[in-house]
Structure formats: structure tokens, C-alpha cells
Amino acid sequence: MSEEILRQQIQNLKKHNARLKRIAHDSRNKLSAALDGTGLCLWQLDVPSGKLVIFNRRWGSMLGFQPKELSAHFDVWRDHLHPEDKEMVLSAFYNHLEGKAPFYEALHRMQAKNGTITWVLDRGRVTEWSDDGKPLKVTGTHIDMTKEKQYEQQLAKLANHDPLTGLANRHALQAQFDLLKKLGPLSIAFIDLDDFKNVNDTLGHRSGDEVLLQLSQRLHESCPPEVTIGRIGGDEFILLLPWSLEHPEINHIARCCLDAAITPFELGNGAAKVGASIGVNESWVDDTFNNAVIRADESMYLIKRTGKNGIALGARIIIQS
């Protein structure tokens, strides 16, 4: 083969190689654009070196880094795992590398450089082994699940909390009642506001909502942490008190809650005054939540029938305005 022919073949190979590089670069750009639009990151780990090949920029942006600011390396990824999730994630990853699991998968949190949390779903599997069977490369995906997690948390909150006040709703109260009942004595306080309709009629329903919000905050300030506070609709509130009816804390908390209700509420369009009828009764051994609430409601009506704004413990009125 002449030198000229050899030179020509080398030139052709260089052109072909340059063309393949352009095709690869173009394909990678298209892949990156397509993946970025889905919130998915494609990665490949070189196990011996720890180097991560990231096929699009989504991984760095999840953690709040600019392009090329974050070094794509296993150690960097590991350092950004949320401390509460790190052990679980690394265990799942190494279990796959050691052949204990057919693939690697973990739903976990990562911490950005500014402290914000990103939820991700990580999946991968070994795609290349050495001649002696050791894993060389792991290929996988990294999906941003933050919005899905936030939505899940919102649904959980709606399922257990009153949408206006954020207090426990009937479902959450019932679950907490069943739990507290197993632990010892338990009393139920039923709080019904007096003259609340007048607020809605004179100042408007928005002002009525503001009264409920302010009262909810006051109830939190009036009750110790072990008391569960809930709203079961309208202007009716429930307290779960982990003591017997004779416990002095019951009397004290009931009086504080009454003061919280009768203290005027300063609103944007005026001041609102309401009162409260409070009935407290102790849960019996065979009580359901509904039965216990009914008896507390009956105690509350002792106050309603005799002039409102007061407290009844069982069948005994202890304070009446």
C-alpha cells in the first residue's frame, strides 16, 4: 500500500470519526432536552473510580447548582443524601452491588446547597461486569418526586385536619381517642360557641372565619401539648384530655378555654364578642368516640339551658356567667 493511499485512508477515518462525534453530541443534546422536560435524570456510575456520567443537567439543578459547578462523583452524591435517609439509601445501593437485590431502588430526600429538600426516586442496576464478576458500571434514573410528595402531604393533611383552622378533624380525633383510651384515663371537652351566628350576620362570614382562626390559636395557647384540639364543624370544638374528670388540670384548662372564647376578637372591620358553653365528661371503658362525645355534649347542654357561657364537669356546673 502506497504512502498516499495510507494517508487518504487516515484522512477518511478522521472525517468519519468527526462525523460520529457530531452525531453523538447531537444525540446527547436531544436526549438531554427530552429528559429535562420530564424531570428525569439519566446517570451512569463507573464503580471503580466513583465517577458519575450525567446525561443531562437535571441532577445538578435539583440540588441548586449551576452547570459545571457540581462535580459528578459518587462521593458528592453521597454527601448530599439527607442524613435521615442516607443509611437506607446506601444499604439499598450496596445490596444490589453485592448481588443481594436484583436492582437498586430508593425513594429518598437530597439536600441542596441552600438547605432545601428534594425528594427523588432513584433506580439503577449493574450493566457491566469485570471478567471476575465484579460490578464495573451501574446505569439508572433519578426522578424528581418533590411535587408528588408535597401533594401526598397535602392530601394527608386534608384527611386529618380541618381545612379552615388546621385543627384535627373528626377522623383524626377518633383515631387519637382510640389511642389515648388504651393509655389511661381520658376525658372529652365539648366546646360550643355562644352568639357566634351574630358575628356572621353583622360582620360577615369572613369575619366569622377569622374569629374561628383566632380562637383556634388561643385554644393552642390555653392547652398543654398532651391535649388534642379538634374542630368537628361550624363553631363546635373538641378537646381530648388524658386525665380523669377529677384531675385539677381539667378544671384549669376548661377555665382557660372559656376565657379564650369570651375575650373580644379584634377584626379588620370591628370587634367581635362570643361566648362558650363547655361540657366535659369522662370516657367509659366501653365507650366509642361517638358515645363519649354525646355525653360531653349532654354536659355542655346543661350550660346552654341555664344561660350559656359556662362550664359543666359531668352533671356539675362549676362556672356560669
Side-chain angles (χ1 to χ4, degrees), residues 168-299:
N169 61 14
R170 181 178 286 272
H171 174 76
L173 284 168
Q174 183 165 342
Q176 186 68 1
F177 172 87
D178 293 340
L179 175 64
L180 292 174
K181 189 179 170 188
K182 298 175 183 177
L183 302 178
L186 176 61
S187 296
I188 312 294
F190 194 114
I191 303 174
D192 185 81
L193 299 187
D194 298 322
D195 302 319
F196 179 72
K197 184 176 181 298
N198 186 55
V199 177
N200 285 331
D201 292 343
T202 59
L203 298 177
H205 287 277
R206 185 169 296 180
S207 294
D209 288 348
E210 180 60 29
V211 167
L212 296 176
L213 284 167
Q214 288 190 30
L215 177 60
S216 299
Q217 182 58 41
R218 292 181 186 181
L219 292 178
H220 272 298
E221 294 168 355
S222 302
C223 297
E226 56 264 44
V227 174
T228 301
I229 309 170
R231 176 176 176 238
I232 58 173
D235 57 354
E236 297 176 338
F237 296 80
I238 293 289
L239 306 182
L240 301 182
L241 306 144
W243 302 286
S244 65
L245 195 60
E246 293 75 24
H247 196 287
E249 193 74 9
I250 298 281
N251 193 331
H252 173 71
I253 291 172
R255 290 174 182 270
C256 289
C257 290
L258 181 60
D259 289 342
I262 64 178
T263 301
F265 296 85
E266 296 298 327
L267 307 174
N269 58 344
K273 292 184 178 181
V274 298
S277 297
I278 303 175
V280 190
N281 223 316
E282 189 168 348
S283 169
W284 295 345
V285 174
D286 58 349
D287 261 347
T288 65
F289 173 71
N290 288 336
N291 289 341
V293 169
I294 288 171
R295 285 208 319 283
D297 181 57
E298 290 170 350
S299 296

Side-chain angles (χ1 to χ4, degrees), residues 7-24:
R7 187 181 299 112
Q8 185 63 42
Q9 287 181 342
I10 292 173
Q11 188 66 26
N12 290 339
L13 286 173
K14 287 182 178 179
K15 290 180 179 180
H16 183 62
N17 187 53
R19 178 174 172 274
L20 291 176
K21 286 183 177 180
R22 288 195 301 271
I23 293 173

